[in-house]
Amino acid sequence: MEHVDMAAYLMDMDRGGARVLGQGGQMIHTLKFLGGQYPVFNTLASAPGYGTDTAALSSVLFQDGYSCGQCYQIRCTGSPACYAGSPIVTVTATNLCPPNWALDSNNGGWCNPPRTHFDMSKPAFNKIAQIRPGIVPVMYRRVPCTRYGGMRFALQGNMYWLLVYVLNVGGAGDVCDMSVKGSNTNWIRMSHNWGVSFQAFSVLGGQSLSLQITSYTTKQTITARNVAPTYWSIGLTYGTDTNFS
Protein backbone atom coordinates (compact mmCIF):
# COMPACT_ATOMS: atom_id res chain seq x y z
CA MET A 1 0.00 0.00 0.00
CA GLU A 2 1.07 3.60 -0.56
CA HIS A 3 2.75 5.09 2.49
CA VAL A 4 1.55 8.51 3.61
CA ASP A 5 3.72 10.27 6.17
CA MET A 6 1.84 11.29 9.33
CA ALA A 7 3.37 14.78 9.27
CA ALA A 8 2.09 15.29 5.72
CA TYR A 9 -1.34 14.16 6.84
CA LEU A 10 -1.40 16.79 9.57
CA MET A 11 -0.27 19.46 7.11
CA ASP A 12 -3.19 18.51 4.86
CA MET A 13 -5.51 18.97 7.85
CA ASP A 14 -3.97 22.43 8.35
CA ARG A 15 -4.84 23.41 4.81
CA GLY A 16 -8.34 22.10 5.39
CA GLY A 17 -8.77 24.26 8.45
CA ALA A 18 -8.66 21.56 11.12
CA ARG A 19 -5.01 22.00 12.05
CA VAL A 20 -5.67 25.20 13.96
CA LEU A 21 -7.28 23.28 16.79
CA GLY A 22 -10.46 22.57 14.91
CA GLN A 23 -13.58 24.67 14.85
CA GLY A 24 -15.59 26.38 17.57
CA GLY A 25 -18.85 24.71 18.47
CA GLN A 26 -17.57 21.19 19.04
CA MET A 27 -18.65 20.10 22.49
CA ILE A 28 -17.26 17.81 25.16
CA HIS A 29 -18.71 16.66 28.43
CA THR A 30 -17.74 14.35 31.25
CA LEU A 31 -20.68 12.81 33.02
CA LYS A 32 -18.94 9.51 33.70
CA PHE A 33 -15.44 8.13 34.05
CA LEU A 34 -14.46 6.00 31.08
CA GLY A 35 -12.87 2.67 31.91
CA GLY A 36 -13.48 -0.95 32.69
CA GLN A 37 -14.92 -1.81 29.29
CA TYR A 38 -11.85 -3.17 27.52
CA PRO A 39 -11.87 -5.73 26.06
CA VAL A 40 -15.54 -6.62 26.70
CA PHE A 41 -16.78 -3.81 24.43
CA ASN A 42 -13.84 -4.32 22.07
CA THR A 43 -12.39 -0.90 22.68
CA LEU A 44 -9.34 0.47 24.49
CA ALA A 45 -11.06 2.09 27.43
CA SER A 46 -8.88 0.49 30.10
CA ALA A 47 -6.07 -0.82 27.94
CA PRO A 48 -2.69 -0.78 29.69
CA GLY A 49 -0.49 2.17 28.82
CA TYR A 50 -3.15 4.73 27.87
CA GLY A 51 -3.67 6.08 31.38
CA THR A 52 -6.66 8.30 32.16
CA ASP A 53 -6.24 10.86 29.36
CA THR A 54 -8.83 9.16 27.18
CA ALA A 55 -12.05 10.02 25.38
CA ALA A 56 -14.95 8.34 23.64
CA LEU A 57 -15.73 9.76 20.20
CA SER A 58 -19.07 10.49 18.61
CA SER A 59 -19.80 8.27 15.62
CA VAL A 60 -18.80 11.06 13.19
CA LEU A 61 -15.26 10.87 14.56
CA PHE A 62 -15.24 7.17 15.49
CA GLN A 63 -15.51 6.02 11.85
CA ASP A 64 -16.82 2.51 12.63
CA GLY A 65 -13.97 1.96 15.06
CA TYR A 66 -11.10 2.80 12.73
CA SER A 67 -10.32 5.93 14.79
CA CYS A 68 -9.67 3.85 17.91
CA GLY A 69 -6.19 4.63 19.22
CA GLN A 70 -5.89 8.02 17.50
CA CYS A 71 -4.65 11.00 19.51
CA TYR A 72 -6.19 14.45 19.77
CA GLN A 73 -5.16 17.72 21.37
CA ILE A 74 -8.15 19.45 22.96
CA ARG A 75 -8.51 22.99 24.29
CA CYS A 76 -11.49 24.51 26.10
CA THR A 77 -12.70 27.74 24.52
CA GLY A 78 -15.49 30.29 24.98
CA SER A 79 -16.70 29.16 28.40
CA PRO A 80 -16.25 30.63 31.91
CA ALA A 81 -15.31 27.10 32.96
CA CYS A 82 -12.14 27.14 30.82
CA TYR A 83 -8.92 27.51 32.77
CA ALA A 84 -6.82 30.63 32.28
CA GLY A 85 -4.24 30.31 29.56
CA SER A 86 -6.31 27.72 27.64
CA PRO A 87 -4.22 24.65 28.52
CA ILE A 88 -4.19 21.72 26.10
CA VAL A 89 -4.68 18.04 26.95
CA THR A 90 -3.76 15.18 24.62
CA VAL A 91 -6.17 12.25 24.74
CA THR A 92 -6.32 8.83 23.14
CA ALA A 93 -9.59 7.75 21.49
CA THR A 94 -10.57 4.57 23.30
CA ASN A 95 -14.30 4.13 22.89
CA LEU A 96 -17.53 5.05 21.08
CA CYS A 97 -19.95 7.61 22.47
CA PRO A 98 -23.17 6.30 20.87
CA PRO A 99 -26.05 8.49 19.69
CA ASN A 100 -29.01 8.98 21.98
CA TRP A 101 -31.90 9.53 19.60
CA ALA A 102 -34.34 10.04 22.49
CA LEU A 103 -32.68 13.38 23.29
CA ASP A 104 -32.21 16.51 21.24
CA SER A 105 -28.67 17.04 19.95
CA ASN A 106 -28.54 20.35 21.85
CA ASN A 107 -29.96 18.94 25.08
CA GLY A 108 -28.35 15.68 26.10
CA GLY A 109 -27.89 14.00 22.74
CA TRP A 110 -24.37 15.33 22.51
CA CYS A 111 -23.06 12.39 20.49
CA ASN A 112 -25.80 12.44 17.89
CA PRO A 113 -24.63 12.98 14.28
CA PRO A 114 -23.46 15.29 12.87
CA ARG A 115 -21.84 16.45 16.12
CA THR A 116 -18.09 16.06 16.56
CA HIS A 117 -18.00 15.31 20.25
CA PHE A 118 -15.49 14.02 22.83
CA ASP A 119 -16.85 12.25 25.93
CA MET A 120 -13.78 12.66 28.14
CA SER A 121 -12.57 11.02 31.31
CA LYS A 122 -12.81 13.23 34.37
CA PRO A 123 -9.03 13.55 34.85
CA ALA A 124 -8.58 14.62 31.22
CA PHE A 125 -11.49 17.06 31.31
CA ASN A 126 -10.22 18.57 34.55
CA LYS A 127 -6.93 19.51 32.87
CA ILE A 128 -8.67 22.02 30.60
CA ALA A 129 -11.83 23.10 32.46
CA GLN A 130 -13.74 22.98 35.71
CA ILE A 131 -15.76 19.79 36.06
CA ARG A 132 -18.96 21.42 37.32
CA PRO A 133 -20.50 22.60 34.01
CA GLY A 134 -20.18 19.10 32.58
CA ILE A 135 -20.01 20.33 28.99
CA VAL A 136 -17.92 23.02 27.30
CA PRO A 137 -17.11 24.07 23.71
CA VAL A 138 -13.66 23.03 22.53
CA MET A 139 -11.14 23.33 19.74
CA TYR A 140 -9.25 20.20 18.70
CA ARG A 141 -6.78 18.66 16.26
CA ARG A 142 -5.29 15.25 15.40
CA VAL A 143 -1.70 14.75 16.53
CA PRO A 144 0.75 11.84 16.27
CA CYS A 145 0.64 9.41 19.18
CA THR A 146 3.78 9.20 21.31
CA ARG A 147 4.14 5.66 22.65
CA TYR A 148 6.93 3.98 24.55
CA GLY A 149 8.12 0.59 23.34
CA GLY A 150 6.50 -1.60 20.74
CA MET A 151 2.93 -2.61 20.01
CA ARG A 152 1.23 -5.18 22.21
CA PHE A 153 -1.26 -7.82 21.15
CA ALA A 154 -3.96 -9.18 23.47
CA LEU A 155 -5.22 -12.57 22.31
CA GLN A 156 -8.80 -13.74 22.78
CA GLY A 157 -11.01 -16.39 21.16
CA ASN A 158 -10.78 -20.18 21.09
CA MET A 159 -8.99 -22.96 19.18
CA TYR A 160 -10.94 -22.17 15.98
CA TRP A 161 -11.14 -18.39 16.26
CA LEU A 162 -8.36 -15.93 17.04
CA LEU A 163 -9.25 -12.37 18.08
CA VAL A 164 -6.37 -9.89 18.43
CA TYR A 165 -6.54 -6.48 20.13
CA VAL A 166 -3.72 -4.13 19.10
CA LEU A 167 -2.40 -1.90 21.89
CA ASN A 168 0.17 0.87 22.26
CA VAL A 169 0.12 1.84 18.58
CA GLY A 170 2.42 4.77 17.80
CA GLY A 171 2.35 7.28 14.95
CA ALA A 172 -1.19 7.71 13.69
CA GLY A 173 -2.35 5.35 16.46
CA ASP A 174 -4.88 3.54 14.30
CA VAL A 175 -5.12 0.22 12.43
CA CYS A 176 -7.19 -0.67 9.36
CA ASP A 177 -5.88 -4.09 8.34
CA MET A 178 -4.12 -7.09 9.87
CA SER A 179 -2.81 -10.47 8.76
CA VAL A 180 -1.55 -13.37 10.86
CA LYS A 181 0.91 -16.11 9.97
CA GLY A 182 1.46 -19.29 11.92
CA SER A 183 4.80 -21.04 11.68
CA ASN A 184 3.04 -23.71 9.56
CA THR A 185 0.75 -21.44 7.49
CA ASN A 186 0.88 -18.74 4.85
CA TRP A 187 -0.29 -15.23 5.65
CA ILE A 188 -3.99 -15.15 6.56
CA ARG A 189 -5.82 -11.85 6.20
CA MET A 190 -7.89 -11.06 9.28
CA SER A 191 -11.31 -9.40 9.25
CA HIS A 192 -12.17 -6.30 11.24
CA ASN A 193 -14.14 -7.09 14.39
CA TRP A 194 -14.49 -3.75 16.19
CA GLY A 195 -12.25 -0.88 17.20
CA VAL A 196 -8.68 -2.11 16.90
CA SER A 197 -9.55 -5.81 17.12
CA PHE A 198 -9.17 -8.19 14.19
CA GLN A 199 -10.10 -11.87 13.85
CA ALA A 200 -9.09 -14.98 11.96
CA PHE A 201 -11.21 -18.14 11.77
CA SER A 202 -8.29 -20.56 11.62
CA VAL A 203 -6.68 -23.23 13.76
CA LEU A 204 -3.39 -21.66 14.84
CA GLY A 205 -2.66 -23.40 18.12
CA GLY A 206 0.80 -24.86 18.62
CA GLN A 207 2.39 -22.44 16.14
CA SER A 208 4.37 -19.27 16.71
CA LEU A 209 2.48 -16.24 15.41
CA SER A 210 3.65 -13.31 13.29
CA LEU A 211 1.45 -10.30 12.51
CA GLN A 212 1.26 -7.64 9.80
CA ILE A 213 -0.38 -4.36 10.79
CA THR A 214 -1.49 -1.54 8.47
CA SER A 215 -2.21 2.00 9.68
CA TYR A 216 -5.63 3.42 8.80
CA THR A 217 -4.25 6.95 8.34
CA THR A 218 -0.86 6.45 6.69
CA LYS A 219 -1.47 3.04 5.03
CA GLN A 220 2.02 2.02 6.20
CA THR A 221 2.38 -1.72 6.85
CA ILE A 222 4.86 -3.19 9.30
CA THR A 223 5.55 -6.82 10.23
CA ALA A 224 6.01 -8.09 13.77
CA ARG A 225 7.59 -11.54 13.51
CA ASN A 226 7.25 -14.32 16.07
CA VAL A 227 5.16 -12.15 18.38
CA ALA A 228 3.72 -15.14 20.22
CA PRO A 229 5.64 -18.41 20.85
CA THR A 230 4.34 -21.86 19.94
CA TYR A 231 2.87 -22.21 23.45
CA TRP A 232 0.87 -18.96 23.25
CA SER A 233 -2.37 -18.86 25.21
CA ILE A 234 -5.73 -17.11 24.98
CA GLY A 235 -6.06 -14.34 27.55
CA LEU A 236 -2.40 -13.29 27.45
CA THR A 237 -0.82 -10.18 25.91
CA TYR A 238 2.38 -10.43 23.87
CA GLY A 239 4.74 -7.59 23.06
CA THR A 240 7.11 -6.65 20.26
CA ASP A 241 9.75 -4.00 19.66
CA THR A 242 8.00 -3.01 16.43
CA ASN A 243 5.92 0.15 16.20
CA PHE A 244 4.88 2.99 13.90
CA SER A 245 6.80 6.24 14.31
Side-chain angles (χ1 to χ4, degrees), residues 115-198:
R115 279 189 174 273
T116 50
H117 179 93
F118 299 83
D119 195 2
M120 299 176 68
S121 68
K122 288 182 180 179
F125 187 99
N126 200 36
K127 290 181 178 180
I128 61 171
Q130 301 173 33
I131 292 291
R132 186 174 181 180
I135 181 167
V136 294
V138 300
M139 303 172 76
Y140 70 94
R141 66 177 174 186
R142 278 279 309 279
V143 293
C145 298
T146 301
R147 306 295 185 211
Y148 298 98
M151 286 181 285
R152 297 191 289 271
F153 306 94
L155 308 186
Q156 299 291 335
N158 54 48
M159 64 180 299
Y160 303 105
W161 170 57
L162 177 66
L163 182 65
V164 180
Y165 296 87
V166 193
L167 313 174
N168 203 48
V169 182
D174 49 30
V175 177
C176 69
D177 197 24
M178 282 187 65
S179 295
V180 60
K181 183 184 184 304
S183 50
N184 298 323
T185 73
N186 295 320
W187 284 103
I188 301 167
R189 186 172 183 182
M190 307 176 78
S191 59
H192 185 220
N193 184 284
W194 184 247
V196 282
S197 65
F198 292 78

Side-chain angles (χ1 to χ4, degrees), residues 10-159:
L10 291 176
M11 287 169 61
D12 287 341
M13 290 180 67
D14 189 15
R15 289 192 291 272
R19 177 73 168 77
V20 190
L21 289 181
Q23 170 67 36
Q26 281 81 2
M27 309 293 284
I28 60 176
H29 71 106
T30 173
L31 302 180
K32 58 183 178 295
F33 180 79
L34 298 179
Q37 296 188 29
Y38 176 85
V40 176
F41 194 55
N42 296 354
T43 64
L44 301 173
S46 61
Y50 292 112
T52 57
D53 288 346
T54 59
L57 307 183
S58 60
S59 56
V60 171
L61 293 171
F62 197 63
Q63 301 181 89
D64 293 326
Y66 288 110
S67 294
C68 243
Q70 292 179 355
C71 297
Y72 294 82
Q73 285 185 344
I74 299 177
R75 168 185 287 162
C76 178
T77 182
S79 169
C82 299
Y83 292 141
S86 298
I88 291 173
V89 64
T90 301
V91 299
T92 299
T94 57
N95 213 327
L96 169 67
C97 182
N100 185 343
W101 301 114
L103 297 177
D104 185 87
S105 296
N106 295 312
N107 188 23
W110 309 119
C111 291
N112 296 348
R115 279 189 174 273
T116 50
H117 179 93
F118 299 83
D119 195 2
M120 299 176 68
S121 68
K122 288 182 180 179
F125 187 99
N126 200 36
K127 290 181 178 180
I128 61 171
Q130 301 173 33
I131 292 291
R132 186 174 181 180
I135 181 167
V136 294
V138 300
M139 303 172 76
Y140 70 94
R141 66 177 174 186
R142 278 279 309 279
V143 293
C145 298
T146 301
R147 306 295 185 211
Y148 298 98
M151 286 181 285
R152 297 191 289 271
F153 306 94
L155 308 186
Q156 299 291 335
N158 54 48
M159 64 180 299

